[in-house]
Amino acid sequence: MDLTEVLMRNGFVAAEEEAEELLAAAGGDEARLDAMLERRLTGEPLAWITGTAPFCGLWIKVDPGVYVPRWQTEVLARRAVERLPAGGTAIDVCTGSGAVAVTLMRAGARVVASDLDERSVACARSNGVDAYAGDLFEPFSEPVDVITGVVPYVPTPDLPLLQRDTFTFETALSYDGGDDGTAILRRAIAEAPRFLRPGGALLLELGGRQADALQDALEAYADVNVLVDEDGDVRAIEATRL
Ligand SMILES: C[S@@+](CC[C@H](N)C(=O)[O-])C[C@H]1O[C@@H](n2cnc3c(N)ncnc32)[C@H](O)[C@@H]1O
């Protein structure tokens, strides 16, 4: 049975693409390929096995234990690039592997980043990001042009509904946003103005109806926009500092 078929029979929806990534990572070493497949069949995230994940046309290094960047975040990252002035600066909070930060750096920005998780900080650094261990804006003092954040925003009661790979392998630190999922979003919205230049942009990933729930918290900002993907699904908010 070929690799794609094995993956398909085990319920992996993107079997063909996954087979290609595994084959490339194994580099022709059959024993290595078997070991990688065995890990994947347990549900371990593909990126932890191959060591990389695609994001905004780049390949980002992702160490085991570090949140795997998702295509759903590309809407936020691309819009953040559009908000950068020439030679602009940015803060990426909750940076994980540094995927969003790297995208901004490739667009010419000077970026600093934070994460509570030491493994994530080390991984982001290995991707070339100037990353620091700390809570949200705690490591920073200088205002910037753009702030990005894919903060945890899953409501605590929904954590068990996350897909198998996520719930089994990834840490709740990446997902748990409190009772309605907005606890850390609210903190980021409240703290960001101190770190944004006037006219600077705050971009935060969120889901479903959270943008409505955050209207009151966003009153201190101008031009609040909801960003949707090509299917019309809500992916993020963008708010401009007055
Ligand atoms: C959903 S992941 C996003 C990672 C990355 N930005 C991406 O899109 O691939 C959230 C990250 O936030 C980190 N984190 C959670 N709470 C945090 C906090 N209060 N301050 C800084 N980082 C935090 C987690 O360790 C995790 O790496």
Side-chain angles (χ1 to χ4, degrees), residues 63-86:
D63 293 334
V66 175
Y67 177 88
V68 179
R70 309 294 208 268
W71 65 266
Q72 289 90 336
T73 301
E74 294 188 356
V75 171
L76 175 151
R78 291 188 201 284
R79 181 62 188 148
V81 165
E82 288 172 2
R83 292 297 305 259
L84 277 175

Side-chain angles (χ1 to χ4, degrees), residues 67 69 73 94-96 115-117 120 134-136 150 152 173-174 187:
Y67 177 88
T73 301
C94 299
T95 198
D115 202 289
L116 274 183
D117 173 48
S120 299
D135 177 36
L136 295 183
V150 182
L173 182 65
S174 290
R187 283 186 50 218

Side-chain angles (χ1 to χ4, degrees), residues 24-238:
D29 181 335
E30 282 291 326
R32 192 164 141 76
L33 183 62
D34 287 347
M36 290 174 126
L37 177 62
E38 201 174 311
R39 284 171 67 186
R40 187 60 185 129
L41 293 181
T42 68
E44 184 176 342
L46 180 67
W48 292 2
I49 299 166
T50 62
T52 58
F55 188 78
C56 283
L58 305 166
W59 283 94
I60 305 295
K61 182 172 171 285
V62 183
D63 293 334
V66 175
Y67 177 88
V68 179
R70 309 294 208 268
W71 65 266
Q72 289 90 336
T73 301
E74 294 188 356
V75 171
L76 175 151
R78 291 188 201 284
R79 181 62 188 148
V81 165
E82 288 172 2
R83 292 297 305 259
L84 277 175
T89 53
I91 290 174
D92 181 41
V93 295
C94 299
T95 198
S97 64
V100 175
V102 171
T103 307
L104 293 166
M105 286 159 59
R106 286 296 178 100
R110 275 183 297 123
V111 185
V112 287
S114 72
D115 202 289
L116 274 183
D117 173 48
E118 293 282 359
R119 281 174 309 184
S120 299
V121 172
C123 180
R125 284 187 180 163
S126 72
N127 278 312
V129 178
D130 188 11
Y132 299 88
D135 177 36
L136 295 183
F137 299 99
E138 186 221 336
F140 312 122
S141 53
E142 298 291 316
V144 295
D145 299 300
V146 171
I147 292 174
T148 52
V150 182
V151 312
Y153 62 87
V154 177
T156 309
D158 293 351
L159 290 175
L161 306 178
L162 294 174
Q163 60 184 358
R164 181 183 68 167
D165 297 8
T166 303
F167 193 54
T168 311
F169 289 91
E170 294 185 290
T171 156
L173 182 65
S174 290
Y175 293 98
D176 192 349
D179 286 350
D180 69 348
T182 64
I184 303 170
L185 287 165
R186 285 182 189 280
R187 283 186 50 218
I189 290 167
E191 293 173 29
R194 279 204 298 131
F195 299 92
L196 266 182
R197 297 205 173 104
L202 169 68
L203 297 105
L204 293 171
E205 184 166 300
L206 43 62
R209 298 193 199 94
Q210 288 176 331
D212 297 334
L214 291 168
Q215 282 308 320
D216 56 335
L218 288 161
E219 272 170 9
Y221 292 82
D223 300 331
V224 178
N225 298 319
V226 175
L227 306 181
V228 296
D229 65 18
E230 53 198 26
D231 297 326
D233 291 325
V234 172
R235 295 296 177 201
I237 46 156
E238 168 192 9

